């Protein structure tokens, strides 16, 4: 209780502060002074008139619902026939984070579950494919209903204070196309979108330079880049998605349109149906492809130029104390405070600038507690991309809920830290060993980002 009071006082004090120092401009030139419900949805300042116009068009494509084909909504039909969401914003409400289902009859707003046969680690399910769709167009059976049940784990900090952790048990009901059988699953929530264009602008070479797969410096941290291929076959470093499985914003968007909404494109021209489902599902489809390259580019541009909220309370004693504790606990070994962008961004404003996302965008082994035991590309079942921390203190303000980590199990930042294991075990233990006032300071620092 004492820690919560300390954090509340700190956050109240932040609102009365004046101009932020340069270090608080987390997104460099793409930083905005915003801390309200729309903090994640603003365009970067300094865009050209043409870039702002493209932002508005992309915003429309991002938020509008796709509908069942055929429809009078030219160019916006073709939803499904199986899907998890009917718009981009359904998974990224207010450009923020998704949530798990709240009851057995609910569908997750921004939750997806990847699936593989238990014996074929990472391979698509022969009947249900790579991703479970819990919604369908009229006249078509949804693949499954998904429910998540919490299981609570109790522990104590070094000072004897109790804590409680939550993890999920998944259950599947009303399997529409036959038994799932014994499977491996990976539940994931849509992530907040602030600053993704800046992350895209970091050169591959800069990310590879931070790799240490053999832990040469013996610090226990051995991150590695997730090497992928772009659409033209060019080797690239993945950086988007919980497993860094996509190298560019366009690749991420095309994959989400296809897997989450059933929208075909030139790069993914076939409906997201397995051969077993094609023999059963007979429904009118939209014109192929159901989304053209222009719309994809506009959605990518919209996401690319979303601004980053500035840090709140930078320079205050408690936030700076928390920053020091964050570094002392070696959290910054993976949540790297500063990166530098390269020359390749289509947005001139984003080239050769310093940003403070608190990530290295590399894969790290996070231990058994967070493992999903399912291979994703070259990522093992216990590896996850370091998520950026900018904006993390505004999630509850923007989305009205707190679901941290890849599957939303953590209800607080403290709980998210305590789930860290593997390469982050020493940092987790350092946090658990701190005095209550120090834990509160570290969390206050995170909530300032």
């Amino acid at each position: 209780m004492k820690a919560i009071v300390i954090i509340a006082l700190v956050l109240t004090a932040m609102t009365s502060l004046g101009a932020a120092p340069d270090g608080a401009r987390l997104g460099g030139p793409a930083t905005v002074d915003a801390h309200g419900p729309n903090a994640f949805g603003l365009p970067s300042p300094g865009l050209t008139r043409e870039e702002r116009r493209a932002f508005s068009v992309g915003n429309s494509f991002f938020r509008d619902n796709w509908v069942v084909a055929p429809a009078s909504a030219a160019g916006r039909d073709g939803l499904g026939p199986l899907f998890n969401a009917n718009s981009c914003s359904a998974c990224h409400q207010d450009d923020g984070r998704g949530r798990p289902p709240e009851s057995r009859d609910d569908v997750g707003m921004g939750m997806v579950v990847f699936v593989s046969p238990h014996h074929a680690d990472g391979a698509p399910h022969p009947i249900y494919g790579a991703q479970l769709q819990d919604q369908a167009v009229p006249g078509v059976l949804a693949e499954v209903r998904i429910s998540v049940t919490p299981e609570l784990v109790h522990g104590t900090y070094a000072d004897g204070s109790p804590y409680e952790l939550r993890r999920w048990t998944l259950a599947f009901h009303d399997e529409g196309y036959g038994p799932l059988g014994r499977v491996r699953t990976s539940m994931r929530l849509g992530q907040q979108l602030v600053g993704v264009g800046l992350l895209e602008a970091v050169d591959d070479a800069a990310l590879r330079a931070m790799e240490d797969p053999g832990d040469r410096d013996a610090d226990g941290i051995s991150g590695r880049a997730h090497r992928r291929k772009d659409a033209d076959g060019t080797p690239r470093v993945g950086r988007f998605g919980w497993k860094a499985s996509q190298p560019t914003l366009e690749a991420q968007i095309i994959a989400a349109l296809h897997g989450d909404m059933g929208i075909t494109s030139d790069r993914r021209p076939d409906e997201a149906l397995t051969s077993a489902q094609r023999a059963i599902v007979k429904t009118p489809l939209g014109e192929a492809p159901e989304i053209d390259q222009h719309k994809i580019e506009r959605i990518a541009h919209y996401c690319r130029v979303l601004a980053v909220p500035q840090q709140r309370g930078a320079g205050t004693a408690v936030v700076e104390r928390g920053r020091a504790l964050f570094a002392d606990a070696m959290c910054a070994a993976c949540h790297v405070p500063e990166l530098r962008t390269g020359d390749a961004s289509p947005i001139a404003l984003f080239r050769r600038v310093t940003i403070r996302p608190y990530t290295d965008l590399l894969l790290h082994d996070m231990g058994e507690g967070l493992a999903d035991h399912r291979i994703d590309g070259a990522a093992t079942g216990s590896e996850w991309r370091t998520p950026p921390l900018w904006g993390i203190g505004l999630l509850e303000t923007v989305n009205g809920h707190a679901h941290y980590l890849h599957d939303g199990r953590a209800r607080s930042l403290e709980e998210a830290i305590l789930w860290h294991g593997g390469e982050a075990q020493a940092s987790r233990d350092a946090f658990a060993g701190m005095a209550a006032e120090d834990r509160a300071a570290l969390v206050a620092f995170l909530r300032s980002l």
Side-chain angles (χ1 to χ4, degrees):
M1 180 62 69
K2 184 176 181 181
I4 294 173
V5 171
I6 292 172
I7 293 171
L9 290 173
V10 169
L11 295 178
T12 300
M14 288 178 184
T15 62
S16 63
L17 297 176
D22 286 345
R25 294 176 56 78
L26 303 179
T31 305
V32 289
D33 181 6
H35 49 78
N38 193 41
F40 293 169
L42 301 173
S44 297
L47 297 178
T48 67
R49 181 178 300 178
E50 181 180 347
E51 288 168 343
R52 289 186 66 89
R53 186 182 302 115
F55 173 87
S56 297
V57 174
N59 186 15
S60 171
F61 290 136
F62 187 88
R63 298 187 187 285
D64 284 359
N65 293 339
W66 287 80
V67 297
V68 179
S72 58
R76 302 207 185 193
D77 64 351
L79 178 68
L82 301 169
F83 60 97
N84 296 110
N86 59 4
S87 70
C88 301
S89 60
C91 289
H92 305 278
Q93 185 176 0
D94 296 319
D95 305 294
R97 184 169 295 201
R99 65 163 177 82
E102 296 176 347
S103 70
R104 180 167 170 167
D105 296 322
D106 189 20
V107 292
M109 297 294 291
M111 180 195 80
V112 299
V113 176
F114 292 99
V115 63
S116 300
H118 192 271
H119 64 276
D121 186 6
H125 192 282
I127 297 175
Y128 289 91
Q131 181 174 325
L132 294 176
Q133 279 95 10
D134 55 358
Q135 301 180 62
V137 301
V140 176
L141 285 174
E143 289 187 329
V144 68
R145 285 192 302 120
I146 305 168
S147 63
V148 294
T149 303
E151 177 186 348
L152 301 180
V153 181
H154 296 89
T156 56
Y157 290 105
D159 63 6
S161 303
Y163 63 75
E164 181 181 85
L165 306 182
R166 179 181 68 177
R167 61 186 172 200
W168 299 122
T169 298
L170 291 179
F172 306 106
H173 319 278
D174 302 336
E175 298 163 24
Y177 299 87
L180 267 171
R182 193 178 177 207
V183 292
R184 300 174 189 258
T185 59
S186 184
M187 173 180 166
R188 305 179 197 176
L189 298 184
Q191 297 174 284
Q192 68 270 25
L193 299 176
V194 295
V196 291
L198 294 166
L199 299 178
E200 184 184 46
V202 178
D203 285 341
D204 286 6
L207 301 181
R208 291 195 299 268
M210 292 186 287
E211 288 187 287
D212 186 14
D215 193 17
R216 295 184 302 273
D217 57 7
D219 65 352
I221 309 298
S222 53
R224 63 190 185 96
H226 195 176
R227 286 162 170 77
R228 309 295 287 163
K229 288 188 177 180
D230 208 348
D232 60 2
T234 303
R236 293 293 309 275
V237 174
R239 63 194 69 201
F240 297 114
W242 287 104
K243 299 270 190 175
S245 54
Q246 299 295 344
T248 65
L249 280 172
E250 281 198 16
Q252 176 69 21
I253 288 163
I254 288 168
L257 286 164
H258 189 254
D260 300 349
M261 289 182 270
I263 303 298
T264 60
S265 62
D266 284 336
R267 281 167 54 180
R268 300 207 179 195
D270 298 322
E271 294 290 343
L273 298 170
T274 64
S275 57
Q277 290 168 337
R278 289 178 189 278
I280 300 171
V281 175
K282 305 295 182 184
T283 186
L285 303 175
E287 293 185 11
E290 292 161 340
I291 187 170
D292 60 33
Q293 184 62 25
H294 171 74
K295 293 187 181 72
I296 291 170
E297 290 173 358
R298 285 296 178 262
I299 295 172
H301 176 82
Y302 170 75
C303 297
R304 182 175 289 123
V305 300
L306 284 169
V308 179
Q310 74 178 24
Q311 186 183 16
R312 300 153 312 284
T316 61
V318 69
V319 168
E320 295 311 309
R321 173 64 177 157
R323 187 196 305 274
L325 290 163
F326 184 84
D328 289 346
M330 291 188 62
C331 304
C334 300
H335 291 285
V336 174
E338 275 191 10
L339 297 176
R340 181 86 176 166
T341 65
D343 297 318
S345 175
I347 309 301
L349 186 72
F350 291 179
R351 297 172 194 157
R352 299 181 299 280
V353 296
T354 298
I355 59 175
R356 299 170 181 86
Y358 291 86
T359 179
D360 59 8
L361 296 174
L362 301 180
L363 295 173
H364 292 275
D365 188 327
M366 296 300 293
E368 180 63 23
L370 291 176
D372 62 7
H373 303 115
R374 183 180 177 275
I375 288 174
D376 187 333
T380 71
S382 59
E383 287 183 313
W384 299 93
R385 181 202 71 160
T386 306
L389 296 181
W390 51 17
I392 197 168
L394 291 170
L395 283 178
E396 292 180 70
T397 299
V398 172
N399 290 135
H401 62 71
H403 294 290
Y404 302 100
L405 299 177
H406 64 280
D407 58 2
R409 69 177 69 184
R411 297 156 293 180
S412 67
L413 291 169
E414 294 92 333
E415 194 173 345
I417 295 168
L418 291 168
W419 271 114
H420 283 51
E423 296 175 41
Q425 185 69 45
S427 297
R428 178 262 177 216
D429 292 347
F431 177 76
M434 292 178 187
E437 291 80 2
D438 286 344
R439 297 197 303 270
L442 194 152
V443 171
F445 164 66
L446 294 176
R447 293 184 73 86
S448 77
L449 296 178

